[in-house]
Amino acid sequence: METNPAPAISSHELSKHFDGFRAVDRISFEVAPGEIFGFLGANGAGKTTAMRMLCGLSYPTSGQATVAGFDVYRQQEQIKQNIGYMSQKFSLYEDLTVLENIEFFGGIYGLTNQQLRTKSEELVTTLGLQSEAKKLVRGLPLGWKQKLAFSVAILHDPKIVFLDEPTGGVDPVTRRQFWELIYAAADRGITAFVTTHYMDEAEYCSRVCIMVDGRVEALDSPANLKQQFHTDSMDDVFYQLARGAQRGE
Amino acid sequence: MRILLFLLRKEFRQMFRDRSILALIFLMPTVQLLILPQAANYDVKNINLALVDHDHSSYSRELTRKITSSGYFRLVGASPSYPEALHLIEESQADIVLEIPRGFERNLVREGTQQVAVAVDAINGTRAALGGAYLTRIISDYNSDVRLQWLGPGPARGTSVIDVAAINWYNPLGRYYVFMVPAILVLLLTLVGGFLSALNIVREKELGTIEQLNVSPIKKWQFILGKMIPFWLLGLLVFTIGLLIARGVYGIVPVGSLGTLYLFAAVYLVAILGFGLLISTYSENQLQAMFVAFFFIMIFTLMSGLFTSLDSMPAWARVLANLIPLTHFIEVVRLIILKGSGLAEVSCQLGYEAIFAVVLNTWAILNYRKTT
């Protein structure tokens, strides 16, 4: 897959330093279109920093990277046209209704009124939010908020969607449903880049990349990784890699 | 353009859903305009006077009567001696001591001249100066009454008297609220433009929603206009409510053109919104933004000539005051509302505000980064 001619994301020796602290230290990887790419690591390993660089929210200190074929130094605005992003913090407007949020985020990505109508209806039906559609997002349970935030992040059919710990604090059943949404998106051809520290979720990914102290320590499919570390659980793989970590929160 | 419309729709929805903002729109102008001009008042009244009358003559009683009936003074005590009266000042019960010496009447009648002593508690400088001046004035009035009584009408013997008759223009009754109300209108715009806008943007930072916008293809100018236009309109609405209150409660009707007034308010709002925006780009949370905005707005308010006259400031302070957008607008609002100045007379200040608007907004836009 690394030899795919047009990778969705490609990173080469990408680094970010904060006052001499190497938050991200020369990470290299490629993500193929349609892949569900898991980005694993302990707290403070540099996952979010790496993701923010790829999303065009933060300038790298050194190294190269392209997202959807656009350069992270010079073409952030083009990158932003082509990606969806769901941050660690819930970032829909809590004082707007479900429909108003859909309309707003669809609107700023340039969806037409016709598209907005169809998409809203579709989304509300898929998530089963018919009776909540006109209520403020504030009142929704966390699991629903997260599912809504994800659906809104891919409303404009981006090439890639970045998910930063999307299932934090959500119960296992809802997490399961959340991953079904990611699969559905991948079926539509959307590449998913997901950070998580739930190892069961790592199993859902086509490939995972494990970060320790800002560096990529392992990168392969879950099955290959388990074989490589002579174990049958991702938990164990992660533990073997991460126990040497210096950082932590 | 379409994107801007979505931003504006969202902003207005949030604004009208937020009860505290709605309350603010109507309460802020009402409360400020009803309370401030009445309470923050430079008219000096109820000056507490301690009297030491050593003479106990009909002349000294007449003088006392004149002083207490003037309406400015309140007799708090008649002390037998000066030290005792001074004691009243120490206890803050009296502001002024008037000492009438023994032989006041006799000397006045025989020698035509007599001194009285006035001691003033000068902690509150304005009160002291004005109180002393009022008292001097009453005594000299009394003095001419006495002359009149003794010498009869006509020019005073041997001296020519220049009588100064002053007429107050634009504020004929010398009312303090006429001076304050226009300036408070400016303060209202400053709070809406400088405070609310800064807090609004920083709130998005705190909630993390701004990141969702930064990761979208929204252009900087779209984001900034999307934030400015609602507060600009809000500011003009508050200004209008303020003008209506000024008219209804204080009977202050702008003498000059409303068009000029609104033109100035519109430009001023852009400048002060730029200031709010600038603060928001430097602050990480609402607390920070609040402190910074409060710090500046306090300096702005005290230095702008809102309460005190610019002309009595030292030269360096006047230079500083001229660097504050508030200063020019307060001056102009008073000019337009009270004097009826036209666009030509205030065009210089309008130029200043336009420069502030351009500089502050450019700075804010440059400092707002979608990528850090």
Side-chain angles (χ1 to χ4, degrees):
Chain A
M1 261 183 204
E2 282 82 353
T3 53
N4 192 306
I9 304 169
S10 140
S11 164
H12 182 69
E13 305 264 295
L14 195 67
S15 299
K16 176 91 183 185
H17 300 174
F18 296 109
D19 299 319
F21 169 72
R22 291 169 185 211
V24 174
D25 194 6
R26 287 168 294 161
I27 56 170
S28 302
F29 57 85
E30 281 191 354
V31 180
E35 236 189 323
I36 299 178
F37 191 80
F39 214 55
L40 273 59
N43 291 330
K47 303 184 300 279
T48 301
T49 312
M51 181 178 267
R52 288 174 53 86
M53 285 191 282
L54 296 174
C55 291
L57 284 172
S58 144
Y59 285 105
T61 310
S62 62
Q64 287 96 47
T66 60
V67 174
F70 297 106
D71 184 73
V72 292
Y73 289 95
R74 291 171 289 110
Q75 296 174 302
Q76 287 117 343
E77 291 308 303
Q78 284 98 320
I79 289 179
K80 286 169 188 177
Q81 287 281 0
N82 287 289
I83 61 166
Y85 172 71
M86 181 181 164
S87 78
Q88 227 164 354
K89 266 188 184 175
F90 176 72
S91 50
L92 295 183
Y93 289 96
E94 301 224 337
D95 50 354
L96 294 183
T97 66
V98 173
L99 286 177
E100 286 165 353
N101 267 294
I102 298 174
E103 180 197 291
F104 173 69
F105 283 105
I108 62 173
Y109 280 97
L111 265 54
T112 63
N113 287 341
Q114 180 57 44
Q115 282 174 316
L116 282 175
R117 259 194 305 277
T118 343
K119 290 266 182 187
S120 304
E121 213 167 295
E122 208 181 284
L123 199 156
V124 167
T125 320
T126 319
L127 296 182
L129 283 173
Q130 287 92 339
S131 54
E132 266 74 28
K134 291 197 170 134
K135 291 184 187 158
L136 296 189
V137 166
R138 183 177 291 138
L140 293 182
L142 181 65
W144 282 12
K145 281 186 188 171
Q146 300 292 72
K147 284 190 275 185
L148 180 64
F150 174 72
S151 307
V152 167
I154 57 166
L155 204 58
H156 57 292
D157 283 317
K159 291 204 175 98
I160 304 152
V161 63
F162 288 89
L163 308 168
D164 195 0
E165 288 177 20
T167 53
V170 171
D171 66 77
V173 177
T174 314
R175 259 166 60 198
R176 190 72 200 219
Q177 293 168 345
F178 194 91
W179 275 88
E180 277 159 19
L181 290 176
I182 299 181
Y183 275 116
D187 285 344
R188 276 160 57 193
I190 299 176
T191 309
F193 186 100
V194 193
T195 73
T196 180
H197 39 216
Y198 291 115
M199 288 309 132
D200 57 328
E201 293 190 345
E203 304 271 7
Y204 302 145
C205 301
S206 358
R207 280 194 308 149
V208 293
C209 163
I210 299 178
M211 275 187 86
V212 178
D213 288 349
R215 288 184 306 276
V216 172
E217 289 292 326
L219 171 60
D220 215 328
S221 67
N224 288 348
L225 282 175
K226 282 186 283 193
Q227 202 178 13
Q228 192 185 329
F229 287 87
H230 311 292
T231 171
D232 56 1
S233 81
M234 277 306 291
D235 252 343
D236 216 28
V237 173
F238 184 74
Y239 184 69
Q240 289 187 40
L241 284 167
R243 69 180 158 198
Q246 306 294 311
R247 293 181 201 161
E249 271 180 337
Chain B
M1 260 310 131
R2 215 173 110 79
I3 291 183
L4 184 59
L5 281 180
F6 279 105
L7 282 165
L8 290 176
R9 193 183 292 169
K10 168 220 146 206
E11 216 56 59
F12 278 116
R13 273 179 178 152
Q14 290 182 304
M15 205 179 256
F16 288 116
R17 209 158 272 167
D18 189 346
R19 294 234 174 104
S20 59
I21 290 204
L22 286 180
L24 214 63
I25 295 172
F26 296 100
L27 279 183
M28 202 161 75
T30 318
V31 171
Q32 289 209 346
L33 280 169
L34 290 185
I35 293 179
L36 269 183
Q38 316 267 1
N41 197 319
Y42 269 149
D43 291 347
V44 173
K45 282 187 180 144
N46 303 325
I47 302 164
N48 297 320
L49 181 81
L51 183 71
V52 187
D53 186 354
H54 296 297
D55 198 42
H56 298 290
S57 60
S58 64
Y59 272 42
S60 72
R61 270 194 297 276
E62 175 65 11
L63 177 61
T64 315
R65 197 195 53 77
K66 264 189 105 66
I67 291 169
T68 49
S69 63
S70 69
Y72 292 107
F73 297 94
R74 193 162 55 191
L75 200 60
V76 287
S79 311
S81 71
Y82 182 71
E84 271 171 67
L86 216 50
H87 196 64
L88 286 176
I89 284 195
E90 277 166 14
E91 287 175 343
S92 294
Q93 287 183 28
D95 300 308
I96 287 190
V97 176
L98 173 68
E99 188 182 23
I100 301 175
R102 186 165 289 126
F104 174 73
E105 184 179 79
R106 193 189 57 222
N107 288 344
L108 204 60
V109 173
R110 278 200 198 147
E111 296 167 26
T113 166
Q114 177 55 43
Q115 289 186 325
V116 294
V118 174
V120 185
D121 174 4
I123 287 180
N124 181 339
T126 316
R127 200 172 167 83
L130 283 178
Y134 290 158
L135 197 57
T136 314
R137 179 70 189 264
I138 293 170
I139 294 171
S140 77
D141 267 1
Y142 175 68
N143 191 13
S144 24
D145 285 353
V146 174
R147 275 164 180 269
L148 213 65
Q149 219 176 313
W150 284 84
L151 307 169
R157 195 177 35 182
T159 54
S160 50
V161 173
I162 297 176
D163 196 14
V164 179
I167 301 173
N168 294 329
W169 275 85
Y170 311 120
N171 183 4
L173 299 175
R175 287 195 172 129
Y176 193 62
Y177 67 74
V178 173
F179 177 71
M180 282 302 283
V181 168
I184 286 172
L185 290 173
V186 177
L187 196 61
L188 284 172
L189 287 198
T190 310
L191 292 176
V192 171
F195 245 119
L196 288 188
S197 64
L199 289 184
N200 177 289
I201 297 172
V202 177
R203 199 172 113 86
E204 292 223 22
K205 277 195 190 177
E206 271 184 15
L207 293 174
T209 46
I210 203 160
E211 194 154 89
Q212 206 63 44
L213 300 181
N214 285 341
V215 82
S216 79
I218 291 182
K219 305 263 185 306
K220 271 201 218 181
W221 65 267
Q222 290 168 331
F223 174 79
I224 284 175
L225 277 185
K227 284 293 178 194
M228 279 180 87
I229 293 173
F231 285 100
W232 187 79
L233 290 172
L234 189 64
L236 290 181
L237 176 64
V238 169
F239 188 63
T240 308
I241 295 174
L243 276 177
L244 290 175
I245 294 175
R247 188 190 194 123
V249 177
Y250 297 99
I252 299 177
V253 183
V255 184
S257 118
L258 272 180
T260 317
L261 197 58
Y262 271 90
L263 173 69
F264 214 98
V267 176
Y268 174 73
L269 264 171
V270 177
I272 204 74
L273 280 167
F275 164 78
L277 219 56
L278 187 60
I279 289 182
S280 73
T281 60
Y282 279 106
S283 315
E284 285 310 312
N285 53 53
Q286 293 191 72
L287 201 65
Q288 267 179 24
M290 190 88 141
F291 269 116
V292 178
F294 186 72
F295 170 77
F296 278 107
I297 288 180
M298 193 151 100
I299 293 181
F300 285 4
T301 314
L302 293 178
M303 297 271 315
S304 61
L306 178 69
F307 297 110
T308 51
S309 167
L310 276 187
D311 301 314
S312 44
M313 288 183 187
W316 61 265
R318 274 204 301 271
V319 172
L320 213 60
N322 277 318
L323 293 174
I324 296 173
L326 217 68
T327 312
H328 306 284
F329 192 29
I330 287 180
E331 187 187 350
V332 164
V333 162
R334 282 176 180 149
L335 284 178
I336 296 176
I337 294 188
L338 305 178
K339 259 189 175 173
S341 302
L343 190 55
E345 284 104 331
V346 301
S347 58
C348 173
Q349 287 93 333
L350 192 61
Y352 272 126
E353 296 299 359
I355 293 173
F356 282 124
V358 171
V359 169
L360 289 168
N361 283 291
T362 312
W363 187 354
I365 291 172
L366 288 178
N367 200 49
Y368 166 54
R369 296 210 173 82
K370 285 183 73 184
T371 309
T372 49

